[in-house]
Amino acid sequence: MNLNVLGTSFTVEWGAAVSADQQKSMVQAWSRCLADPRTTTQTEPGVSAHPFTASLHFDSTLPAAGVRHIGSDTFEGLAEAVTSEVTIAAILERAGELTMLHACGVADSGGAVIALVAKSGTGKTTASSQLARTFGYITDETVAIREDGTVLPYPKPLSIKQLAPGAAKLQVGPDELGLKIAPDNPRITAIALLDRVADGDYQLPVIEPVPLVDAVLALIPDTSSQAAVVQPLQSLCRLIDSVGGVFRISYSEAADLKDSLAPLFLTGPARPSEGAEEWSPAVAESEAKTDRSPIPAGWLQRAATVDAVEIGEDLLVLTETELIRLSGIGPIIWQSARRPVSMQSLAGQIEAVHGLPEGYEALLDSAVDSLVDQGLLLRG
């Protein structure tokens, strides 16, 4: 089975235990990602204790060879594992090139795409299976967005939960579910956070704007390899600006979403929007590459970071491991410490903005200690 996923070519070679009918079912499930046959280097199957096996070959630009050997006790488990491995490999191959939201995506006839962001198990696939009977099916997993706002569809099989506890998810093709084909040249128009209300009273969909700082905090954990993008926070803020902000959709049943989404496909004054919020870069692109002189004893300097943005009175700093929100005196301390700075100088910077209350020394010590513990400040 030959596939093209997010621009990467894959070949799946099935093991001997996978029947012709099972192979045919996978071709049907992956029908919208099929590619022309390609030449691959034959490799010996990986040693597996599982009866059902497959080998995955793909054109990799990464140091590791583009071969994966997969095994499972059941064909359904193997099919699910193949979907997972293909998705992960394709995402890693495009890391740094695309903004990839963990979301389902649907498009109207004009190519306007709404990305509905949600964590696994919170309703993405159900929403996709409902909405894409009316709108074009982009994906139920990864909405991949180029820098110019165009979207690279990933119309994979939908992974449907079975009732039996612990059973593998069934891989069901969009054609089998009657999902519409996505239009040509899709383009991101809206981003919304899906918030399914599972308990309490029944709720029709409610759409509300999300403040920019909360939107970034919500989206970063639900992106794939965003840290590999140049200026990842700034890039995400520019994307959010381009679609008029992020919205939250609270709802009880996915079947109710269809009519509620109509305003989000619109652009211009007819579209609900809170208006673009001000943000600005808070770190120079070359800062991480600057040679650092020794920090004088007792002085402070901020550590190298991946990216940082100011949004209102908040500062968001992305390190190699986490996204940190600073407020209060935190942003002033961090900004003042681009070069080595003494505690006395920090106090002066804070006084100019906030004033200094009685006993400020203990408050400043505590704030600095917290930033050092978080890895945002280095102490000489």
Side-chain angles (χ1 to χ4, degrees), residues 99-105 113 115 138-139 141-145 151 188:
T99 291
M100 293 177 276
L101 302 177
H102 193 208
C104 73
V113 174
I138 296 292
T139 187
E141 178 65 33
T142 301
V143 176
I145 306 167
V151 172
I188 191 70

Side-chain angles (χ1 to χ4, degrees), residues 143-169:
V143 176
I145 306 167
R146 300 183 181 94
E147 189 175 359
D148 65 359
T150 55
V151 172
L152 196 57
Y154 179 24
K156 59 179 282 293
L158 284 77
S159 299
I160 308 296
K161 288 182 180 179
Q162 299 191 72
L163 295 178
K169 294 179 180 178

